Amino acid sequence: MSIEIIAIGVLLIIFVLGACLPINIGVWGFLAVFIVGSLVSDLSMDEIYGAFPVELFIIIVGITYLFTIIQKSGVVDLIADYGLRSVNGNLGLVPWLMFLLALVLAGVGTYGIAVVSLLAPIALKIAHKNKISPLMMGIMIIMGMQAGSFSPLNVFGVIINGGMQSRDLEYSPALLLINCLIYFGLVAMIVYLMFGGHRYFSNRPATLGITGFPVEAIKPDGNPAIGREGGLDLYKAACLAAIVVLGILTLKFDINIGFAAIIVGSALALLAPRKQEGVLKEMPWGVIFLVTGIVTYVNVMETVGVMTYVTGLISGMDNPLLASLAVSYVGGFVSAFASTTGFLASIIPIATPLLQDPDISSINIISSIAASSSIVDLSPLSSAGALLLANVQGMKERVFFRQLLITTGIFITLGPGLAWLLFVVIGGMF
């Protein structure tokens, strides 16, 4: 058996283990680095160490450090609170409010699981008290979160844009985000109409369980009956301004976004040093470990010639349109049972030959792959889906589990095809 087949087989085993066992697949990635890199292909330790993605590591650590500080400051809670007040209790707007809140929070860098953990208890409480479908509410949160997750400030966006840039592929962070907004917004609209969300528009107010307020403290018009402690102060305003400063440093002065985030985060730390306790503990180190482990192994695969081998296979497919459709469906299927983050970290090197095809836009292809692999995160086998399951009210968990599982199956079947149609087929016409 060739080294290329062995390396690809090990990658598949990593995803299977990640789906079946509650062990970070970054562990399996680093283990595979040693087995395939040292024992099977006889690479030197210097070559193996050189496969570690230093730049990607700095970017992810910097961004997560800064946005952990921002989230810990309470700014994220304030955004959610003010957003909920803005609908003034109109039920028909609440699902879209959840979509927009998830979009904004993820778009400014809040990790997706943190977004769902913040909004799911609020949204599903509102759904239960006002007889709104919890499935629809959960889907709206996930769709908004995934749309914002491909922002240049979020981990998904960092992985995609960094992977494209490192291989000199045409890419556009803004277009990736716009494409994902269109895709997930369209899916959210379809879901909203199918569940009859428009029928909830009425003059009667909803009972909103706003973050930081007990339900009893909400007036009939949806506004809080008591004042909220810990409103916007100088430090929270500085945290909001930090996002703007980060954009200026990276766009205007072309500073590496990871180092720029560390600079801004350090300034916030100096501004309020006593509020920094626990920041490093709250960073998503599991995600960082996962991404670096998988990317290191993928770089080892590239060193031993796997990408050249895959290039030959993809070149054998005469139709790049069908090849991109196949990769999109692979992304949707694999991500439903394994880590979306891990898949996104591994797919760009593997799909590089397809992304380099001059007859088709690399931005459109990667948009299709990104959307296809993330729409299935509603699965109850994923962290986001599990959070929805844990917070559902007024419904037996096994019933909601079955609903999430059936919906995931529908998304696996239709989601990648819709993304491919929107971006590769229709997008390719422009």
Side-chain angles (χ1 to χ4, degrees):
M1 186 180 295
S2 68
I3 180 64
E4 294 87 357
I5 297 297
I6 293 174
I8 293 173
V10 169
L11 181 64
L12 295 176
I13 291 173
I14 288 174
F15 281 115
V16 171
L17 289 174
C20 298
L21 300 176
I23 299 174
N24 189 305
I25 67 173
V27 174
W28 305 119
F30 282 118
L31 178 61
V33 166
F34 177 73
I35 294 174
V36 175
S38 181
L39 302 183
V40 178
S41 61
D42 202 26
L43 294 178
S44 69
M45 292 308 297
D46 286 341
E47 289 176 303
I48 291 175
Y49 293 147
F52 185 83
V54 177
E55 182 178 5
L56 180 62
F57 175 78
I58 291 173
I59 290 174
I60 295 178
V61 167
I63 287 178
T64 54
Y65 171 66
L66 172 59
F67 285 99
T68 300
I69 291 175
I70 292 174
Q71 183 176 344
K72 190 175 173 64
S73 72
V75 166
V76 171
D77 291 334
L78 282 179
I79 294 173
D81 286 353
Y82 288 128
L84 282 169
R85 294 174 191 174
S86 68
V87 300
N88 198 30
N90 194 312
L91 275 181
L93 293 176
V94 171
W96 283 111
L97 175 65
M98 293 301 162
F99 176 89
L100 291 174
L101 281 174
L103 168 64
V104 170
L105 294 176
V108 299
T110 308
Y111 187 54
I113 299 306
V115 173
V116 179
S117 64
L118 172 67
L119 295 181
I122 305 170
L124 294 179
K125 179 188 290 186
I126 294 172
H128 171 59
K129 288 186 172 295
N130 296 280
K131 296 182 174 56
I132 299 175
S133 166
L135 181 59
M136 178 185 72
M137 199 73 91
I139 293 173
M140 297 296 282
I141 293 174
I142 299 295
M143 295 303 103
M145 179 266 289
Q146 295 295 28
S149 291
F150 290 96
S151 154
L153 300 179
N154 204 293
V155 173
F156 281 9
V158 169
I159 292 172
I160 293 292
N161 295 319
M164 299 286 281
Q165 183 181 28
S166 66
R167 284 164 177 78
D168 294 324
L169 297 167
E170 180 187 4
Y171 78 104
S172 169
L175 188 54
L176 173 66
L177 178 58
I178 291 172
N179 284 345
C180 289
L181 286 173
I182 293 172
Y183 178 77
F184 290 107
L186 177 60
V187 173
M189 177 60 74
I190 293 172
V191 169
Y192 182 78
L193 294 176
M194 286 184 64
F195 280 90
H198 55 287
R199 293 198 297 268
Y200 292 110
F201 278 100
S202 66
N203 293 324
R204 71 182 184 89
T207 303
L208 302 180
I210 298 180
T211 308
F213 295 101
V215 175
E216 294 77 10
I218 308 301
K219 292 181 179 179
D221 62 2
N223 291 313
I226 58 176
R228 177 180 174 84
E229 296 182 0
L232 187 65
D233 54 24
L234 178 62
Y235 179 62
K236 291 175 183 176
C239 288
L240 288 173
I243 300 172
V244 178
V245 174
L246 178 64
I248 294 173
L249 290 177
T250 54
L251 299 176
K252 178 69 174 178
F253 297 97
D254 199 27
I255 297 176
N256 176 284
I257 192 171
F259 284 121
I262 292 173
I263 293 170
V264 176
S266 299
L268 291 175
L270 289 173
L271 182 63
R274 294 185 179 181
K275 295 185 178 182
Q276 307 310 307
E277 183 179 357
V279 167
L280 291 181
K281 291 182 180 179
E282 294 181 18
M283 286 176 61
W285 289 108
V287 175
I288 296 169
F289 192 77
L290 183 156
V291 172
T292 52
I294 291 296
V295 173
T296 302
Y297 178 61
V298 169
N299 289 341
V300 166
M301 291 173 64
E302 191 167 10
T303 302
V304 300
V306 172
M307 304 316 164
T308 302
Y309 174 78
V310 174
T311 299
L313 293 178
I314 295 179
S315 299
M317 297 184 69
D318 296 331
N319 193 327
L321 288 177
L322 293 181
S324 61
L325 178 62
V327 175
S328 295
Y329 268 101
V330 168
F333 182 80
V334 171
S335 296
F337 304 100
S339 166
T340 302
T341 309
F343 178 81
L344 291 175
S346 64
I347 192 58
I348 293 179
I350 295 174
T352 295
L354 180 60
L355 295 169
Q356 291 175 330
D357 193 311
D359 296 328
I360 192 167
S361 168
S362 61
I363 299 174
N364 291 342
I365 295 176
I366 201 60
S367 296
S368 176
I369 295 172
S372 301
S373 58
S374 55
I375 190 175
V376 296
D377 279 1
L378 182 76
S379 167
L381 304 177
S382 70
S383 299
L387 282 170
L388 294 178
L389 188 63
N391 285 282
V392 70
Q393 299 182 27
M395 177 183 293
K396 292 182 179 179
E397 287 188 359
R398 66 175 182 273
V399 175
F400 194 52
F401 178 89
R402 186 165 61 248
Q403 289 184 0
L404 290 174
L405 205 59
I406 293 172
T407 305
T408 302
I410 295 172
F411 281 177
I412 293 174
T413 303
L414 302 178
L418 175 62
W420 175 78
L421 180 64
L422 281 177
F423 304 130
V424 179
V425 178
I426 298 177
M429 298 177 181
F430 299 96

